[in-house]
């Protein structure tokens, strides 16, 4: 039963930002317009709400969601991400996000090897939800594709970064 007590404060902060960071990576991998960006952000929020409601959710996932659903932790996670990507061009945002996800995966593997895989699978699930949230290309939502080639490539990069 992994939770906040298994990690240092810095490690926990990194783990808290991971669900948000996978969404940033997907969005940076193939930027959508305004509506698509909103849909992608809502996909992450929806994944958090679903995990909160899931009575069978993994303890670590539940602990992260419980923290992220507090205004203080959510603000702190967003601030960490803002600092991570500050001054970056779009391509660099994805690169930095993937590197941070790699570091988070190493923390999970070292501190909670048994709970690491379910958490990583959850991150991958969130990334897929974000990728599927909007239609890429087309005009006014018509004629586009659900997940673009660039998003599929980013999903593969996220899976590799987190060790899946």
């Amino acid at each position: 039963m992994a939770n906040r007590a298994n990690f240092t404060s810095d490690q926990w902060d990194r783990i808290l930002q991971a669900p948000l960071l996978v969404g940033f990576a997907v969005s940076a991998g193939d930027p959508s317009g305004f509506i698509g960006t909103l849909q992608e952000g809502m996909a992450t929020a929806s994944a958090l709400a679903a995990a909160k409601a899931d009575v069978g959710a993994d303890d670590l996932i539940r602990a992260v969601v419980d923290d992220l659903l507090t205004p203080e932790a959510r603000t702190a996670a967003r601030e960490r991400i803002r600092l991570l990507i500050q001054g970056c061009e779009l391509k660099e945002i994805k690169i930095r996000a993937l590197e941070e996800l790699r570091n988070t995966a190493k923390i999970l593997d070292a501190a909670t090897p048994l709970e690491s895989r379910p958490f990583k699978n959850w991150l991958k699930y969130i990334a897929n939800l974000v990728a599927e949230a909007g239609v890429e290309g087309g005009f006014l939502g018509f004629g586009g594709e659900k997940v673009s080639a660039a998003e599929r490539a980013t999903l593969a990069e996220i899976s590799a970064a987190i060790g899946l």
Side-chain angles (χ1 to χ4, degrees):
M1 287 202 293
N3 58 37
R4 184 182 198 135
N6 296 89
F7 305 96
T8 67
S9 179
D10 181 63
Q11 289 172 332
W12 186 249
D13 289 345
R14 286 174 178 230
I15 290 165
L16 281 182
Q17 78 180 3
L20 305 177
L21 203 53
V22 293
F24 270 86
V26 171
S27 294
D30 191 9
S32 299
F34 178 72
I35 299 297
T37 300
L38 286 176
Q39 291 170 325
E40 290 169 350
M42 291 301 296
T44 301
S46 174
L48 293 174
K52 175 76 175 168
D54 182 1
V55 294
D58 176 80
D59 289 332
L60 180 57
I61 293 169
R62 199 174 260 301
V64 165
V65 169
D66 286 345
D67 258 16
L68 273 178
L69 292 179
T70 66
E72 301 82 16
R74 191 172 46 255
T75 299
R78 287 179 179 157
E79 179 62 14
R80 272 186 75 98
I81 292 171
R82 187 189 67 75
L83 292 172
L84 179 72
I85 65 174
Q86 189 172 9
C88 292
E89 292 185 21
L90 208 48
K91 287 181 183 180
E92 182 67 21
I93 289 173
K94 184 175 103 170
I95 292 167
R96 287 188 184 186
L98 291 170
E99 184 59 33
E100 188 66 19
L101 289 168
R102 252 182 231 98
N103 293 333
T104 301
K106 289 176 188 174
I107 291 166
L108 288 163
D109 290 340
T112 59
L114 297 178
E115 290 87 355
S116 179
R117 189 162 193 83
F119 191 83
K120 292 175 182 180
N121 285 332
W122 183 59
L123 293 177
K124 183 177 177 182
Y125 168 75
I126 293 170
N128 283 319
L129 282 181
V130 171
E132 294 171 355
V135 176
E136 306 301 325
F139 180 71
L140 297 175
F142 297 100
E145 58 185 331
K146 198 68 172 161
V147 179
S148 70
E151 286 174 325
R152 284 191 295 278
T154 301
L155 292 172
E157 290 174 298
I158 290 170
S159 290
I162 60 177
L164 291 178

